[in-house]
Amino acid sequence: MKGTDNKEELSGKKLTLTDKIYHDIKDDIIAKVFQPGEKLNIKELARKYQVSDTPVKQALQRLAEEKMVVNTPNKGMSVRALTPHELQDIFDMRLMMDTFFVKDIVTTLNYNQTLRQQLIDCLEAQRKFVENSDSNHKPDEFFELDMDFHTLYLTASGNQKAVDIFRDLQPFTYASGTYVSQPHYRDCECVEEHQAILDAALASNLDALKAAVTTHLNNSRKALLLIFKVNQIVCPEE
């Protein structure tokens, strides 16, 4: 099954059959083998991946928990779709949270050396990733690094509900196919914008932190909305 050998190698543990089917379906969603809004029939998927229904059901449940798949009563499973309005709402929420907690975040990073170092390490991992992945873009890996950075940032607020809301919102952009279409140069820009956010936070400069966060989220909003519109033009049936 495609892509699973490397994942198994990297994780250091043997993948179960459900793990393998989960990765295969996820990869096919990312590659748009399955289009946003497309119904996912369990028996058809079982035939496609040459397995029984059970691991397919379990894999789809995991994808539903990650917001990549929607389970609609009486209709079954389908690939999650995203509208421009929903994308705007997501960034409005993120901007509100990320700027509201700047004082708490700065205070926490002043004394929490572990969290501060985790942010520094995460940013370094992002920088290494974009330097080594120009011709082999792996959106799922950069997405995880991006998620880690913003999760750590909001963790410094001390508000777990804000972290939970962020984790609940962000997969929408990934599942819709907008994030995975982000060009490499935008990944590079994100790293520099993350650096500006971290520099301002570590310098305890509240105004600079608010400005850096606002710039980053608005740039990401514009980039993803543009990708969304292009995808809609190229693939009007979506």
Side-chain angles (χ1 to χ4, degrees):
M1 296 175 186
K2 62 183 183 306
T4 56
D5 291 340
N6 287 338
K7 292 181 177 72
E8 182 175 337
E9 219 173 83
L10 291 172
S11 67
K13 64 178 182 180
K14 187 173 180 62
L15 298 181
T16 66
L17 183 57
T18 297
D19 291 333
K20 291 178 180 179
I21 300 305
Y22 158 82
H23 286 301
D24 281 351
I25 297 174
K26 186 173 183 178
D27 287 345
D28 281 340
I29 290 174
I30 292 170
K32 288 203 169 183
V33 173
F34 303 124
Q35 300 292 322
E38 181 176 347
K39 186 174 181 179
L40 298 171
N41 182 281
I42 291 173
K43 292 194 178 298
E44 289 178 3
L45 291 174
R47 284 195 294 270
K48 174 180 173 64
Y49 300 115
Q50 299 181 336
V51 294
S52 66
D53 292 358
T54 300
V56 172
K57 289 178 182 177
Q58 293 171 340
L60 288 176
Q61 184 56 44
R62 284 175 60 179
L63 289 165
E65 291 170 359
E66 293 181 5
K67 307 297 188 296
M68 293 192 74
V69 166
V70 180
N71 188 3
T72 305
N74 301 320
K75 291 185 178 180
M77 298 280 197
S78 60
V79 179
R80 182 175 291 280
L82 183 73
T83 68
H85 182 73
E86 288 174 315
L87 194 59
Q88 290 278 21
D89 287 349
I90 288 168
F91 277 99
D92 285 345
M93 286 292 295
R94 289 191 58 191
L95 187 59
M96 180 177 66
M97 292 191 301
D98 283 16
T99 56
F100 181 81
F101 292 111
V102 290
K103 185 174 181 180
D104 295 322
I105 288 166
V106 163
T107 299
T108 298
L109 293 180
N110 272 330
Y111 71 81
N112 191 324
Q113 184 175 353
T114 299
L115 191 54
R116 186 166 63 246
Q117 190 59 50
Q118 287 176 323
L119 275 164
I120 293 170
D121 292 344
C122 180
L123 186 55
E124 180 60 24
Q126 290 179 37
R127 196 174 297 282
K128 288 180 179 178
F129 177 87
V130 297
E131 288 173 355
N132 296 326
S133 303
D134 191 15
S135 60
N136 186 26
H137 185 53
K138 300 175 182 177
D140 54 334
E141 292 184 22
F142 190 76
F143 177 77
E144 290 301 326
L145 290 170
D146 183 74
M147 282 283 290
D148 288 346
F149 181 86
H150 287 284
T151 299
L152 289 167
Y153 174 85
L154 279 174
T155 296
S157 73
N159 190 310
Q160 185 58 45
K161 180 56 70 175
V163 176
D164 293 342
I165 291 172
F166 167 71
R167 286 188 173 279
D168 192 53
L169 287 174
Q170 191 62 359
F172 280 78
T173 59
Y174 184 78
S176 68
T178 50
Y179 190 97
V180 299
S181 300
Q182 181 167 284
H184 180 73
Y185 76 81
R186 179 56 198 154
D187 290 346
C188 296
E189 290 175 347
C190 284
V191 173
E192 296 309 316
E193 290 166 10
H194 288 167
Q195 184 69 65
I197 291 171
L198 184 58
D199 288 345
L202 297 184
S204 300
N205 189 328
L206 298 184
D207 289 338
L209 181 53
K210 282 185 178 181
V213 166
T214 300
T215 295
H216 172 56
L217 292 180
N218 283 338
N219 285 345
S220 293
R221 182 203 302 259
K222 290 175 185 176
L224 294 184
L225 280 171
L226 179 60
I227 291 167
F228 188 96
K229 290 176 182 178
V230 169
N231 286 343
Q232 289 296 100
I233 292 171
V234 173
C235 304
E237 71 274 11
E238 292 175 21

